[in-house]
Amino acid sequence: MLDSRPLEDPADIRKDQRRRSRRSARWVMVAIALLMLGMALVDHLLAPPGESRSFISLSLGGVALLYLMLQSRPRRWESPLMVMGVLVFTVWAVHSYGSVRSASTQALLGAVVMAGTYLSLRALWATTAAGVLILGGLTWAEAGGHLVKAGFAPDLRFWLMGSVIIAVIGALLHHTRKATDEAYLRQLNQMEERLRLEHERDRSQRRFQRIFRLNPTALMIQFAGTRTVLEVNPAFERDFGYPVDQLVGRSAGTFWADEPSWQAHCQRLFETGRTGWQNADWRRSDGQVIEVLVSSELNEDPGGLMILTTVVDAPDAQGASGALTA
């Protein structure tokens, strides 16, 4: 088994996941801002005169910095803003380069991965649909000659743009992998802890069953809600002559020869949780009324609240009371 970790509150788990997600998003946005700054510098230095598109990279880097500033405040729209920014700047870049076959088109995939990492399932589907529609619209525009004339020179800028997008997607997938591994590890630890608790419970129940059945004193277990018999031990069958199949589901009040005494016993039990030893007249299976001492106690059980009743003959009253005191 794994090394056991303490059971965690679900609210604490969700809070920790949000904290990890925000920290990961901050590092991704820092990386995007730095990479876009580098892209803008390379584009400005290497692009032919009049063909520099560094302002696109700088604009997307500015959105990443805006994300970092907004994340420290109690808002929830900074991640959708970043995804929307990637989609908008992808359209801008593809339109500027003049072809959907440019490296900028890969940013649509990055937007979908980002939405899947940080947003809800509905937002993921919306981003996916938007990416498909944008790609279709740009393809139609290029096929109809509505874009500028494209240049397909495989230069350093093309390679750098594709590399940046691949690096960002890799970082997002790394975060998703870490989050999935952490959730899986927590689930394993929760399962291990649950198995341990169930094993201890089963062992305790087996121990109780042995004590219950081997005890020479008459014992009876009842449902607290209905006060019907759930189980009796062999000593109870022997002392009162009732077979087990006639006792299960039967009202415990039928053993009492005096109904008011039974009601008073139950009232004290539910008021204090236990009755202590009380004198009572009980009826055996042959109709004979005998004097006994009865003690009942409420007990918690996975199946609900139970009543454990102990019954001894009245001549054993002094010994039973002394054993209880000890």
Side-chain angles (χ1 to χ4, degrees):
M1 285 190 177
L2 299 173
D3 292 337
S4 179
R5 298 197 304 185
L7 291 174
E8 299 176 273
D9 188 272
D12 293 337
I13 293 177
R14 287 192 292 269
K15 186 184 300 183
D16 183 63
Q17 287 177 334
R18 287 194 295 267
R19 180 180 59 80
R20 290 172 180 269
S21 179
R22 287 195 298 267
R23 184 173 61 186
S24 169
R26 283 196 297 269
W27 281 110
V28 170
M29 293 306 112
V30 168
I32 290 177
L34 294 176
L35 289 172
M36 289 301 102
L37 177 61
M39 272 292 305
L41 181 61
V42 171
D43 201 336
H44 178 73
L45 295 176
L46 299 183
E51 295 185 13
S52 174
R53 296 174 181 85
S54 58
F55 51 86
I56 300 178
S57 302
L58 288 175
S59 299
L60 185 56
V63 173
L65 293 176
L66 179 62
Y67 177 98
L68 294 173
M69 292 186 291
L70 292 177
Q71 198 185 41
S72 60
R73 302 180 182 181
R75 293 187 175 92
R76 292 293 178 267
W77 46 268
E78 62 270 13
S79 292
L81 173 65
M82 189 62 202
V83 172
M84 182 64 67
V86 173
L87 294 176
V88 170
F89 286 107
T90 299
V91 174
W92 189 6
V94 171
H95 182 272
S96 300
Y97 282 103
S99 176
V100 293
R101 290 166 289 176
S102 65
S104 303
T105 311
Q106 300 177 34
L108 294 175
L109 179 59
V112 173
V113 175
M114 185 177 296
T117 304
Y118 299 118
L119 301 181
S120 64
L121 181 60
R122 181 181 301 178
L124 170 61
W125 283 114
T127 305
T128 302
V132 171
L133 293 175
I134 289 172
L135 183 60
L138 292 172
T139 302
W140 171 84
E142 182 179 1
H146 301 292
L147 300 182
V148 299
K149 184 178 179 180
F152 294 102
D155 54 10
L156 179 62
R157 294 183 300 162
F158 174 85
W159 172 83
L160 189 57
M161 174 62 74
S163 300
V164 166
I165 295 172
I166 292 173
V168 171
I169 292 176
L172 294 173
L173 292 178
H174 174 69
H175 163 77
T176 303
R177 174 65 182 269
K178 285 186 62 178
T180 303
D181 288 347
E182 176 65 20
Y184 180 62
L185 181 60
R186 278 178 162 161
Q187 183 182 23
L188 286 179
N189 278 280
Q190 296 282 354
M191 291 175 62
E192 188 265 349
E193 186 68 14
R194 179 177 297 179
L195 288 174
R196 185 185 65 81
L197 293 175
E198 289 178 353
H199 175 71
E200 292 181 357
R201 181 199 63 192
D202 293 342
R203 185 173 59 181
S204 176
Q205 288 179 346
R206 289 193 298 269
R207 186 185 300 116
F208 172 80
Q209 281 294 329
R210 287 196 298 269
I211 296 174
F212 180 79
R213 299 197 65 82
L214 297 177
N215 199 310
T217 303
L219 299 174
M220 175 175 60
I221 300 176
Q222 314 161 45
F223 292 108
T226 61
R227 304 178 196 176
T228 55
V229 177
L230 172 64
E231 189 177 0
V232 297
N233 67 344
F236 191 98
E237 298 178 69
R238 182 181 63 251
D239 291 349
F240 294 95
Y242 293 97
V244 176
D245 56 354
Q246 294 183 10
L247 291 177
V248 176
R250 187 172 183 175
S251 173
T254 58
F255 302 116
W256 294 69
D258 184 24
E259 179 69 18
S261 298
W262 158 243
Q263 296 297 336
H265 182 84
C266 291
Q267 181 179 358
R268 182 174 179 181
L269 171 65
F270 288 104
E271 285 178 353
T272 63
R274 61 175 60 204
T275 62
W277 293 103
Q278 294 181 341
N279 288 305
D281 293 329
W282 273 40
R283 188 179 291 108
R284 293 170 50 88
S285 61
D286 56 6
Q288 178 186 0
V289 177
I290 60 175
E291 185 180 356
V292 296
L293 275 177
V294 183
S295 176
S296 296
E297 181 177 350
L298 291 174
N299 289 277
E300 291 286 347
D301 187 85
L305 197 61
M306 300 292 178
I307 301 174
L308 175 63
T309 299
T310 306
V311 187
V312 298
D313 292 335
D316 298 332
Q318 184 175 359
S321 299
L324 183 66
T325 303

